[in-house]
């Protein structure tokens, strides 16, 4: 649907706030803005993308030269099984912001130059207002609409609808004053944590690989990040993103990062140079508290939507443990908002009755 | 979403057949084609539009001159209460294929120059194949897909999915071999018939009006078709579309058209020139067997969709008794198709498991 500017004077442009600018929020924003809604996207992080994230930093080599490096430390890639997401991927392949990642023979993709490029592209050409760097701390009902509160105060202006596209544990406190049942349900959604190691080493001996999935030990997956398409490379060096298993992450959830880093580096070394040594040029760890849903019960709706109040919730936790699930939930959310009555029906007018009976 | 051409070699473009090119079918086709599906639209009528229809003919005036005239003999207009349909209406107002119809004070719209212009515009710029003039008489399962049968034979080529966007009584026989439950449910949907009078008269005395809704007698509504925006006018003459009530239409369903025409002309005359005479320049009647759903039970889904077989059903009868209901059902149908897995999941590959667990 093309972007349409409201022309008829009695049609006020609906103002919609989306809290959370991950893939669910971006997909929802794209569809709503494409239909002429005025969308404002809030995110607590510095940039958008959520778990489609790429961390950029530098490390200092043996000659004292700073080397840029990037780590896709959230979702390592994505697949596209639905027509809707395939259409996005195909557009991205054509435009160059998605590349095929031949990691393990399947149809896997990454965004280029970094994972957030997918969310940027989704809303790129649309008039979506994006406000990052500060969490939303409260939702307030006001004159049939909503106000958004952040630490810096109330956001000026009223929204007709609010969509929460957050991990459920973060949506729960915002929902509590308005939808107790939803708040409790969101708080109880089981999400798995994920300790993630980002490291630069000398290139290990042996054949290069893109992806390794150890069957024992703390690590569930090891990705050669610099072998993904469109990523920076440094000759003689290898860039790694290694994710701990859900079980290991859970049992070490509150460990000190230094201890976690040591354990994950040991596991990475054992995997990439068994019996040998590894020279560490750079390493750090990140803890995802809400990496992925542990399970999605059958029959779960693709989003939650209260048309009367104009309040919705979406996210991968309602669809599945993969990036496309977030996209589909965001699309479902937008579809629910777009299909709901947006204006009061003029049931008293003759022609309205005429058109209906 | 922009039109996207599949680029990745393993992604075959899905081929989708939509049977019925009314507003539900056109809305579904638009959304699917916008996401890169190859859509083929079938309709038994000469043109698309379904009940968004405008009949064009000529009548001969007192001087023997043929005068062109048009009658919107199906839906007389439409409203837009959802953001999704409002976006379409706003685009149409901007582009000139929709006009505001100030019939009775509410926000009512008509397509310009005739009602089918709405469906034409929905699919206009997209690569949708349209085949009209012959009914679809059968659906056949073949190698995990579908073939379409018409009186002239099997349509060449296979479809991955089939969507029926027909009045339920017409969908029922096509569904019977494949979905007995749906077929029975469709056959039992109560649809109201509507006898419709199209007439040209001398301009009656008294103040002109756009719309009249008699509270007694056979007629439920009388529209001055030539006072709608963008319609042809003939000085000194009035163009009428008069719809009989559901009750009157039901009790005269099998009457001879001549008798129906006489009864409806009498009722029209009594309404537009009470106690006086009317000079008839032209008149004809049309019987809509399936004009509108009698009722839509609460909790009815917006469409029926069997993802495993790739078979769907949509139409106003699932949403409500107005044009927007057809649009929303078609949109819901497209959303269901787009969100369903379109390719087999490569569950055996390492990376697929990796992306998911």
């Amino acid at each position: 649907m093309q972007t349409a500017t409201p022309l008829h004077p009695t049609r006020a442009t609906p103002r919609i706030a989306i809290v959370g600018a991950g893939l669910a929020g971006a997909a929802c924003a794209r569809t709503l803005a494409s239909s002429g809604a005025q969308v404002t996207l809030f995110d607590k992080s510095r940039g958008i993308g959520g778990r489609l994230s790429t961390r950029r930093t530098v490390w200092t080599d043996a000659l004292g030269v700073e080397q840029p490096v990037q780590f896709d430390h959230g979702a390592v890639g994505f697949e596209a099984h639905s027509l809707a997401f395939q259409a996005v991927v195909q557009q991205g392949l054509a435009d160059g912001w998605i590349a095929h990642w031949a990691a393990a023979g399947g149809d896997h993709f990454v965004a280029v130059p970094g994972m957030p490029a997918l969310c940027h592209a989704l809303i790129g050409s649309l008039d979506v207002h994006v406000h990052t760097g500060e969490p939303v701390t409260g939702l307030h009902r006001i004159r049939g609409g909503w106000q958004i509160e952040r630490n810096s105060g109330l956001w000026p202006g009223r929204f007709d609808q609010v969509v929460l596209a957050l991990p459920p544990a973060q949506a729960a406190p915002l929902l509590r004053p308005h939808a107790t049942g939803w708040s409790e349900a969101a708080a109880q959604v089981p999400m798995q944590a994920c300790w993630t190691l980002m490291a630069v080493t000398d290139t290990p001996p042996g054949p290069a690989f893109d992806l390794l999935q150890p069957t024992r030990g703390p690590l569930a997956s090891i990705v050669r990040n610099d072998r993904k398409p469109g990523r920076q490379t440094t000759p003689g060096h290898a860039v790694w993103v290694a994710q701990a298993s859900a079980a290991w992450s859970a049992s070490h959830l509150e460990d000190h990062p230094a201890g976690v880093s040591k354990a994950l580096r040991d596991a990475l070394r054992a995997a990439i140079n068994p019996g040998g040594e590894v020279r560490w040029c750079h390493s750090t760890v990140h803890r995802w508290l809400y990496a992925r849903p542990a399970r999605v019960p059958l029959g779960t709706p693709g989003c939650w939507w209260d048309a009367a109040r104009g309040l919705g919730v979406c996210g991968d936790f309602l669809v599945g443990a993969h990036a496309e699930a977030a996209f589909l939930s965001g699309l479902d959310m937008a579809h629910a908002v777009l299909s709901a009555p947006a204006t009061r029906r003029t049931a008293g007018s003759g022609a309205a009755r005429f058109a209906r009976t």
Side-chain angles (χ1 to χ4, degrees), chain A residues 7-53:
Chain A
L7 287 187
H8 199 262
T10 65
R11 304 265 173 240
T13 305
R15 294 166 48 95
I16 304 175
I18 300 177
V19 185
L23 186 50
C28 185
R30 169 199 182 84
T31 305
L32 291 174
S34 298
S35 290
Q38 186 180 321
V39 177
T40 307
L41 200 49
F42 296 93
D43 200 282
K44 69 183 173 72
S45 300
R46 274 182 305 172
I48 70 171
R51 283 163 281 164
L52 289 175
S53 52

Short mmCIF file of all heavy atoms in Angstrom, two decimals, chain A residues 7-53:
data_model
loop_
_atom_site.label_atom_id
_atom_site.label_comp_id
_atom_site.label_asym_id
_atom_site.label_seq_id
_atom_site.Cartn_x
_atom_site.Cartn_y
_atom_site.Cartn_z
N LEU A 7 -6.79 13.29 3.11
CA LEU A 7 -7.28 14.45 2.39
C LEU A 7 -8.61 14.93 2.93
O LEU A 7 -8.89 16.11 2.94
CB LEU A 7 -7.45 14.11 0.91
CG LEU A 7 -6.15 13.95 0.14
CD1 LEU A 7 -6.46 13.78 -1.32
CD2 LEU A 7 -5.28 15.17 0.35
N HIS A 8 -9.42 13.96 3.36
CA HIS A 8 -10.74 14.38 3.76
C HIS A 8 -10.68 15.03 5.13
O HIS A 8 -10.08 14.50 6.04
CB HIS A 8 -11.68 13.18 3.78
CG HIS A 8 -13.10 13.60 3.74
ND1 HIS A 8 -13.86 13.70 4.86
CD2 HIS A 8 -13.86 14.04 2.71
CE1 HIS A 8 -15.06 14.15 4.52
NE2 HIS A 8 -15.08 14.35 3.23
N PRO A 9 -11.29 16.20 5.28
CA PRO A 9 -11.11 16.97 6.51
C PRO A 9 -11.56 16.26 7.77
O PRO A 9 -11.03 16.51 8.84
CB PRO A 9 -11.93 18.23 6.25
CG PRO A 9 -12.85 17.90 5.12
CD PRO A 9 -12.13 16.87 4.31
N THR A 10 -12.54 15.37 7.67
CA THR A 10 -13.03 14.75 8.90
C THR A 10 -12.15 13.57 9.33
O THR A 10 -12.39 12.99 10.37
CB THR A 10 -14.47 14.23 8.73
OG1 THR A 10 -14.46 13.18 7.78
CG2 THR A 10 -15.38 15.35 8.27
N ARG A 11 -11.16 13.22 8.54
CA ARG A 11 -10.31 12.08 8.90
C ARG A 11 -9.03 12.58 9.53
O ARG A 11 -8.13 13.02 8.83
CB ARG A 11 -9.95 11.27 7.65
CG ARG A 11 -11.13 10.79 6.87
CD ARG A 11 -11.48 9.39 7.28
NE ARG A 11 -12.73 8.99 6.64
CZ ARG A 11 -13.80 8.63 7.33
NH1 ARG A 11 -13.79 8.63 8.64
NH2 ARG A 11 -14.89 8.26 6.70
N ALA A 12 -8.95 12.53 10.84
CA ALA A 12 -7.70 12.90 11.49
C ALA A 12 -6.71 11.75 11.33
O ALA A 12 -7.09 10.59 11.43
CB ALA A 12 -7.94 13.19 12.96
N THR A 13 -5.46 12.08 11.05
CA THR A 13 -4.44 11.05 10.94
C THR A 13 -4.27 10.38 12.29
O THR A 13 -4.02 11.06 13.28
CB THR A 13 -3.11 11.67 10.51
OG1 THR A 13 -3.32 12.41 9.32
CG2 THR A 13 -2.07 10.60 10.28
N PRO A 14 -4.40 9.06 12.35
CA PRO A 14 -4.20 8.40 13.65
C PRO A 14 -2.74 8.47 14.07
O PRO A 14 -1.84 8.30 13.25
CB PRO A 14 -4.64 6.96 13.38
CG PRO A 14 -4.52 6.79 11.91
CD PRO A 14 -4.76 8.13 11.29
N ARG A 15 -2.53 8.74 15.34
CA ARG A 15 -1.17 8.81 15.90
C ARG A 15 -0.94 7.55 16.72
O ARG A 15 -1.68 7.27 17.66
CB ARG A 15 -1.02 10.05 16.77
CG ARG A 15 -1.13 11.37 16.01
CD ARG A 15 -1.30 12.54 16.98
NE ARG A 15 -0.33 12.46 18.06
CZ ARG A 15 0.83 13.11 18.06
NH1 ARG A 15 1.14 13.90 17.07
NH2 ARG A 15 1.68 12.99 19.07
N ILE A 16 0.09 6.82 16.37
CA ILE A 16 0.34 5.53 17.02
C ILE A 16 1.75 5.51 17.58
O ILE A 16 2.71 5.83 16.88
CB ILE A 16 0.15 4.37 16.01
CG1 ILE A 16 -1.27 4.44 15.40
CG2 ILE A 16 0.39 3.03 16.68
CD1 ILE A 16 -1.53 3.44 14.31
N ALA A 17 1.86 5.16 18.87
CA ALA A 17 3.17 5.00 19.50
C ALA A 17 3.52 3.52 19.53
O ALA A 17 2.69 2.68 19.89
CB ALA A 17 3.16 5.56 20.92
N ILE A 18 4.74 3.21 19.13
CA ILE A 18 5.24 1.84 19.23
C ILE A 18 6.45 1.87 20.15
O ILE A 18 7.40 2.62 19.91
CB ILE A 18 5.63 1.27 17.85
CG1 ILE A 18 4.40 1.26 16.93
CG2 ILE A 18 6.21 -0.13 17.99
CD1 ILE A 18 4.70 0.79 15.51
N VAL A 19 6.39 1.07 21.22
CA VAL A 19 7.47 1.04 22.19
C VAL A 19 8.29 -0.21 21.94
O VAL A 19 7.80 -1.33 22.11
CB VAL A 19 6.92 1.06 23.63
CG1 VAL A 19 8.07 1.14 24.63
CG2 VAL A 19 5.95 2.22 23.82
N GLY A 20 9.53 -0.01 21.51
CA GLY A 20 10.39 -1.13 21.16
C GLY A 20 10.64 -1.14 19.66
O GLY A 20 9.72 -1.32 18.88
N ALA A 21 11.89 -0.91 19.27
CA ALA A 21 12.21 -0.77 17.85
C ALA A 21 13.03 -1.95 17.34
O ALA A 21 13.95 -1.80 16.55
CB ALA A 21 12.94 0.55 17.59
N GLY A 22 12.69 -3.15 17.84
CA GLY A 22 13.25 -4.35 17.26
C GLY A 22 12.50 -4.71 15.99
O GLY A 22 11.78 -3.87 15.43
N LEU A 23 12.65 -5.94 15.56
CA LEU A 23 12.05 -6.32 14.28
C LEU A 23 10.53 -6.28 14.34
O LEU A 23 9.87 -5.87 13.39
CB LEU A 23 12.56 -7.71 13.85
CG LEU A 23 12.13 -8.20 12.47
CD1 LEU A 23 12.41 -7.17 11.40
CD2 LEU A 23 12.84 -9.51 12.15
N ALA A 24 9.94 -6.68 15.48
CA ALA A 24 8.47 -6.63 15.60
C ALA A 24 7.99 -5.19 15.51
O ALA A 24 7.06 -4.88 14.75
CB ALA A 24 8.03 -7.26 16.92
N GLY A 25 8.62 -4.30 16.26
CA GLY A 25 8.21 -2.90 16.24
C GLY A 25 8.42 -2.25 14.88
O GLY A 25 7.58 -1.49 14.40
N ALA A 26 9.54 -2.57 14.24
CA ALA A 26 9.84 -1.98 12.93
C ALA A 26 8.86 -2.49 11.87
O ALA A 26 8.39 -1.72 11.02
CB ALA A 26 11.28 -2.28 12.52
N ALA A 27 8.55 -3.79 11.92
CA ALA A 27 7.60 -4.34 10.94
C ALA A 27 6.22 -3.73 11.13
O ALA A 27 5.53 -3.39 10.16
CB ALA A 27 7.52 -5.87 11.09
N CYS A 28 5.83 -3.56 12.39
CA CYS A 28 4.53 -2.95 12.69
C CYS A 28 4.52 -1.50 12.21
O CYS A 28 3.58 -1.05 11.57
CB CYS A 28 4.28 -3.05 14.19
SG CYS A 28 2.66 -2.47 14.70
N ALA A 29 5.60 -0.77 12.51
CA ALA A 29 5.69 0.64 12.12
C ALA A 29 5.62 0.79 10.61
O ALA A 29 4.94 1.67 10.09
CB ALA A 29 7.00 1.23 12.65
N ARG A 30 6.33 -0.08 9.90
CA ARG A 30 6.36 -0.01 8.44
C ARG A 30 4.95 -0.14 7.87
O ARG A 30 4.52 0.66 7.03
CB ARG A 30 7.22 -1.15 7.90
CG ARG A 30 7.14 -1.38 6.40
CD ARG A 30 7.64 -2.78 6.08
NE ARG A 30 7.66 -3.11 4.68
CZ ARG A 30 8.63 -2.82 3.83
NH1 ARG A 30 9.65 -2.13 4.25
NH2 ARG A 30 8.58 -3.18 2.57
N THR A 31 4.22 -1.14 8.34
CA THR A 31 2.90 -1.40 7.78
C THR A 31 1.92 -0.28 8.14
O THR A 31 1.13 0.16 7.31
CB THR A 31 2.37 -2.76 8.27
OG1 THR A 31 3.34 -3.75 7.95
CG2 THR A 31 1.07 -3.11 7.60
N LEU A 32 1.98 0.19 9.38
CA LEU A 32 1.07 1.26 9.79
C LEU A 32 1.39 2.56 9.06
O LEU A 32 0.49 3.25 8.57
CB LEU A 32 1.16 1.47 11.30
CG LEU A 32 0.59 0.32 12.15
CD1 LEU A 32 0.86 0.57 13.63
CD2 LEU A 32 -0.90 0.17 11.91
N ALA A 33 2.67 2.90 8.97
CA ALA A 33 3.04 4.15 8.31
C ALA A 33 2.71 4.09 6.82
O ALA A 33 2.32 5.09 6.22
CB ALA A 33 4.52 4.45 8.52
N SER A 34 2.84 2.90 6.23
CA SER A 34 2.50 2.75 4.81
C SER A 34 1.03 3.00 4.56
O SER A 34 0.63 3.32 3.45
CB SER A 34 2.84 1.33 4.33
OG SER A 34 4.21 1.08 4.45
N SER A 35 0.21 2.82 5.60
CA SER A 35 -1.22 3.05 5.45
C SER A 35 -1.62 4.44 5.93
O SER A 35 -2.81 4.71 6.11
CB SER A 35 -2.01 1.98 6.22
OG SER A 35 -1.86 0.75 5.56
N GLY A 36 -0.67 5.30 6.15
CA GLY A 36 -1.00 6.68 6.44
C GLY A 36 -1.05 7.05 7.90
O GLY A 36 -1.36 8.19 8.24
N ALA A 37 -0.77 6.10 8.80
CA ALA A 37 -0.76 6.45 10.22
C ALA A 37 0.52 7.24 10.54
O ALA A 37 1.53 7.12 9.85
CB ALA A 37 -0.82 5.19 11.08
N GLN A 38 0.43 8.07 11.57
CA GLN A 38 1.61 8.81 12.02
C GLN A 38 2.23 8.01 13.16
O GLN A 38 1.69 7.94 14.26
CB GLN A 38 1.20 10.20 12.48
CG GLN A 38 2.38 11.09 12.82
CD GLN A 38 1.93 12.47 13.27
OE1 GLN A 38 0.99 13.03 12.72
NE2 GLN A 38 2.59 13.01 14.27
N VAL A 39 3.37 7.40 12.89
CA VAL A 39 3.96 6.44 13.82
C VAL A 39 5.17 7.05 14.52
O VAL A 39 6.03 7.65 13.88
CB VAL A 39 4.38 5.16 13.08
CG1 VAL A 39 5.06 4.19 14.04
CG2 VAL A 39 3.17 4.51 12.42
N THR A 40 5.20 6.90 15.85
CA THR A 40 6.36 7.30 16.64
C THR A 40 6.91 6.07 17.33
O THR A 40 6.17 5.33 17.99
CB THR A 40 5.97 8.36 17.69
OG1 THR A 40 5.29 9.44 17.03
CG2 THR A 40 7.20 8.90 18.39
N LEU A 41 8.21 5.84 17.13
CA LEU A 41 8.85 4.62 17.60
C LEU A 41 9.81 4.99 18.73
O LEU A 41 10.66 5.86 18.56
CB LEU A 41 9.61 4.02 16.41
CG LEU A 41 10.03 2.57 16.34
CD1 LEU A 41 8.91 1.62 16.68
CD2 LEU A 41 10.54 2.28 14.92
N PHE A 42 9.64 4.35 19.89
CA PHE A 42 10.51 4.60 21.03
C PHE A 42 11.38 3.38 21.30
O PHE A 42 10.91 2.25 21.21
CB PHE A 42 9.67 4.89 22.29
CG PHE A 42 8.83 6.14 22.20
CD1 PHE A 42 7.52 6.09 21.76
CD2 PHE A 42 9.37 7.37 22.57
CE1 PHE A 42 6.75 7.24 21.69
CE2 PHE A 42 8.60 8.53 22.51
CZ PHE A 42 7.28 8.46 22.06
N ASP A 43 12.64 3.62 21.65
CA ASP A 43 13.48 2.50 22.08
C ASP A 43 14.48 2.98 23.11
O ASP A 43 15.00 4.10 23.01
CB ASP A 43 14.21 1.86 20.90
CG ASP A 43 14.67 0.44 21.24
OD1 ASP A 43 15.70 0.29 21.94
OD2 ASP A 43 13.99 -0.51 20.82
N LYS A 44 14.77 2.12 24.09
CA LYS A 44 15.67 2.53 25.16
C LYS A 44 17.12 2.52 24.71
O LYS A 44 17.97 3.20 25.28
CB LYS A 44 15.48 1.63 26.38
CG LYS A 44 15.96 0.19 26.21
CD LYS A 44 15.64 -0.61 27.48
CE LYS A 44 15.94 -2.08 27.32
NZ LYS A 44 17.37 -2.40 27.30
N SER A 45 17.43 1.73 23.66
CA SER A 45 18.82 1.65 23.22
C SER A 45 19.19 2.86 22.38
O SER A 45 18.34 3.66 22.00
CB SER A 45 19.03 0.38 22.40
OG SER A 45 18.73 -0.75 23.18
N ARG A 46 20.50 2.96 22.08
CA ARG A 46 20.95 4.10 21.29
C ARG A 46 20.43 4.02 19.86
O ARG A 46 20.18 5.03 19.22
CB ARG A 46 22.49 4.16 21.28
CG ARG A 46 23.08 4.91 22.46
CD ARG A 46 24.59 4.95 22.34
NE ARG A 46 25.14 3.59 22.19
CZ ARG A 46 26.40 3.33 21.92
NH1 ARG A 46 27.26 4.32 21.75
NH2 ARG A 46 26.83 2.09 21.81
N GLY A 47 20.30 2.81 19.36
CA GLY A 47 19.83 2.66 17.99
C GLY A 47 18.67 1.68 17.93
O GLY A 47 18.28 1.10 18.94
N ILE A 48 18.12 1.49 16.74
CA ILE A 48 17.03 0.55 16.59
C ILE A 48 17.60 -0.82 16.21
O ILE A 48 18.78 -0.96 15.92
CB ILE A 48 16.00 1.03 15.55
CG1 ILE A 48 16.57 0.99 14.14
CG2 ILE A 48 15.53 2.44 15.90
CD1 ILE A 48 15.53 1.24 13.06
N GLY A 49 16.75 -1.83 16.20
CA GLY A 49 17.18 -3.17 15.80
C GLY A 49 16.92 -4.23 16.85
O GLY A 49 16.74 -5.39 16.52
N GLY A 50 16.92 -3.83 18.13
CA GLY A 50 16.68 -4.82 19.18
C GLY A 50 17.74 -5.90 19.14
O GLY A 50 18.94 -5.61 19.16
N ARG A 51 17.29 -7.15 19.05
CA ARG A 51 18.24 -8.26 19.02
C ARG A 51 18.85 -8.49 17.64
O ARG A 51 19.68 -9.37 17.47
CB ARG A 51 17.54 -9.53 19.54
CG ARG A 51 17.41 -9.53 21.05
CD ARG A 51 16.39 -10.54 21.52
NE ARG A 51 15.03 -10.03 21.36
CZ ARG A 51 13.93 -10.78 21.40
NH1 ARG A 51 14.04 -12.07 21.57
NH2 ARG A 51 12.75 -10.23 21.26
N LEU A 52 18.40 -7.73 16.65
CA LEU A 52 19.14 -7.68 15.37
C LEU A 52 20.19 -6.59 15.54
O LEU A 52 20.00 -5.44 15.16
CB LEU A 52 18.20 -7.33 14.22
CG LEU A 52 17.22 -8.42 13.81
CD1 LEU A 52 16.26 -7.91 12.75
CD2 LEU A 52 17.97 -9.64 13.29
N SER A 53 21.31 -6.97 16.17
CA SER A 53 22.24 -5.97 16.66
C SER A 53 23.66 -6.27 16.18
O SER A 53 24.04 -7.43 16.00
CB SER A 53 22.21 -5.94 18.19
OG SER A 53 22.41 -7.26 18.67
#
